[in-house]
Amino acid sequence: MKFYNQQHKYYCGVDLHARKMYVCILNHKGKVVVHVNIKTDPESFFELVFPFLEDVVVGVECVFCWYWLADLCADHKIDFVLGHVLYMKAIHGGKTKNDKIDSYKIAMLLKGGNFPTAYSYPAEWRATRDLLRRRMYISRRCGELVAHITNTNTQYNLPAFKKKLSRKYNHDGVAERFDDPAVRKSVEVDLEMINALNQTLKKLEWHIEKTARQHDYHTLFLLRSIPGVGQILALVILYEIHDIKRFPRVQDFSSYARLVRPVKESDGKWAGHTNKKIGNHHLKWAIKEAAILMLRDSSEAKYFVSKLERKYNKGKALGIFTHKLGRAIYFMLKNKEAFDMKRFFDQ
């Protein structure tokens, strides 16, 4: 985590919501110059900060509606800083909280150089990353439908399915298993929705793959060199990282990917774990899935994890292996080298 500490004459703290935004502007002496509640209208905001354009910085919490404000500041060459919500909650938490107080405290954090920054994702890649995350949502809905069919099959104590129901060519005879017309109709509806979602996913994946090749084909190629990493995992890792140079150290990358467990200590004593949600859960999922797929297909990976299991438990061994793979991905992208299995297990 970094703190914003560049000196300006004016500091603009914004508490942003879908329809309203509280704006607080301080001068370099800490005096409130502007403190108003306005609509989330680009023209209204620009008119408000126009008298201070010569030397102003705008800070806002990283909530879902910051895109337009970041783009507006970029168009008018206004310094924009995105604040990390969870770190800001720890810093400026107080007894009383409302939008007016929050906007003032954001401006004060900017002025004092204590503003915890988050990564302002570039606009050129932003829409594709969101589209890929939407693809994950649709994929999970498809999984829920498959689970419903499987559970229904179990309710009536029928033989288990031998093939994956997520594939259209395995749907023959599935609905006919059930004698009750209502149950059969329910399963038929599930199958129709699975087919429709799979067609949507196929078109969506083709579009994202085509766009990714234009954004960064070389990095995508490097990620596909990892055993077990296919089209989807490579795309998720690519778009959730964006630029590996944003992480100065491999420790920073591991923390961002939630590959390490933060520990609380007091007086040299262990006091539990904390801040487990700080990081990117999409990236964590992708790296963990890659580790499991590698473990399934590679005899070397199985042998490596089995040695760890003798010293640790099974869950701890898998966590160490996943962390090792995450570190390898960091150095792969940093050095622009393909994955080397021999080197991976030798180190």
Side-chain angles (χ1 to χ4, degrees), residues 66-67 70-71 82 118-130 133 215 235-243 246 256 280:
W66 62 271
Y67 288 0
D71 295 338
L82 192 63
Y119 185 62
S120 182
Y121 204 89
E124 296 79 10
W125 288 37
R126 195 188 299 148
T128 309
R129 182 193 64 170
D130 291 346
R133 290 180 176 179
H215 283 160
L235 289 171
V236 172
I237 296 173
L238 171 66
Y239 279 98
E240 296 303 333
I241 294 176
H242 175 243
D243 186 4
R246 58 188 276 215
Y256 178 74
N280 190 317

Side-chain angles (χ1 to χ4, degrees), residues 133-240:
R133 290 180 176 179
R134 193 62 181 171
R135 182 259 166 207
M136 298 300 298
Y137 172 82
I138 298 173
S139 180
R140 290 190 177 99
R141 301 293 80 77
C142 185
E144 290 176 359
L145 293 169
V146 172
H148 179 258
I149 296 175
T150 304
N151 292 339
T152 304
N153 188 75
T154 305
Q155 283 178 330
Y156 291 91
N157 197 28
L158 298 175
F161 297 106
K162 297 181 179 180
K163 298 181 180 179
K164 291 184 177 181
L165 296 180
S166 57
R167 301 291 182 266
K168 182 178 180 179
Y169 45 78
N170 295 331
H171 291 177
D172 294 339
V174 173
E176 288 72 13
R177 283 180 168 223
F178 305 95
D179 297 330
D180 192 297
V183 178
R184 189 184 308 121
K185 187 64 177 177
S186 175
V187 173
E188 288 176 354
V189 170
D190 287 343
L191 294 174
E192 289 177 4
M193 293 179 65
I194 291 172
N195 292 335
L197 290 175
N198 280 335
Q199 292 178 9
T200 302
L201 286 174
K202 188 176 181 180
K203 296 177 183 178
L204 192 58
E205 290 165 3
W206 179 86
H207 174 80
I208 296 173
E209 175 80 15
K210 181 180 177 181
T211 306
R213 289 174 179 269
Q214 297 174 355
H215 283 160
D216 194 345
Y217 177 80
H218 185 253
T219 300
L220 191 65
F221 173 78
L222 292 178
L223 291 171
R224 293 290 293 271
S225 68
I226 304 173
V229 174
Q231 178 192 32
I232 301 303
L233 291 182
L235 289 171
V236 172
I237 296 173
L238 171 66
Y239 279 98
E240 296 303 333

Side-chain angles (χ1 to χ4, degrees), residues 43-163:
E43 294 183 1
S44 300
F45 177 78
F46 184 71
E47 290 178 1
L48 191 65
V49 300
F50 182 77
F52 317 100
L53 281 183
E54 293 182 359
D55 196 1
V56 65
V57 57
V58 176
V60 63
E61 285 184 327
C62 182
V63 290
F64 71 96
C65 50
W66 62 271
Y67 288 0
W68 70 270
L69 186 58
D71 295 338
L72 177 67
C73 291
D75 292 340
H76 296 283
K77 297 181 179 180
I78 302 173
D79 286 348
F80 176 84
V81 190
L82 192 63
H84 197 294
V85 175
L86 296 179
Y87 283 116
M88 292 178 69
K89 180 180 179 181
I91 291 174
H92 72 79
K95 189 173 183 179
T96 304
K97 183 183 184 302
N98 55 50
D99 296 343
K100 185 175 182 180
I101 293 175
D102 286 350
S103 62
Y104 172 76
K105 289 190 174 181
I106 290 172
M108 287 297 294
L109 290 173
L110 279 171
K111 179 182 176 298
N114 296 317
F115 191 77
T117 60
Y119 185 62
S120 182
Y121 204 89
E124 296 79 10
W125 288 37
R126 195 188 299 148
T128 309
R129 182 193 64 170
D130 291 346
L131 184 62
L132 183 59
R133 290 180 176 179
R134 193 62 181 171
R135 182 259 166 207
M136 298 300 298
Y137 172 82
I138 298 173
S139 180
R140 290 190 177 99
R141 301 293 80 77
C142 185
E144 290 176 359
L145 293 169
V146 172
H148 179 258
I149 296 175
T150 304
N151 292 339
T152 304
N153 188 75
T154 305
Q155 283 178 330
Y156 291 91
N157 197 28
L158 298 175
F161 297 106
K162 297 181 179 180
K163 298 181 180 179

Side-chain angles (χ1 to χ4, degrees), residues 259-275:
L259 301 179
V260 293
R261 299 186 68 184
V263 178
K264 291 193 297 184
E265 290 186 357
S266 179
D267 193 26
K269 298 178 182 178
W270 182 80
H273 297 280
T274 184
N275 296 326

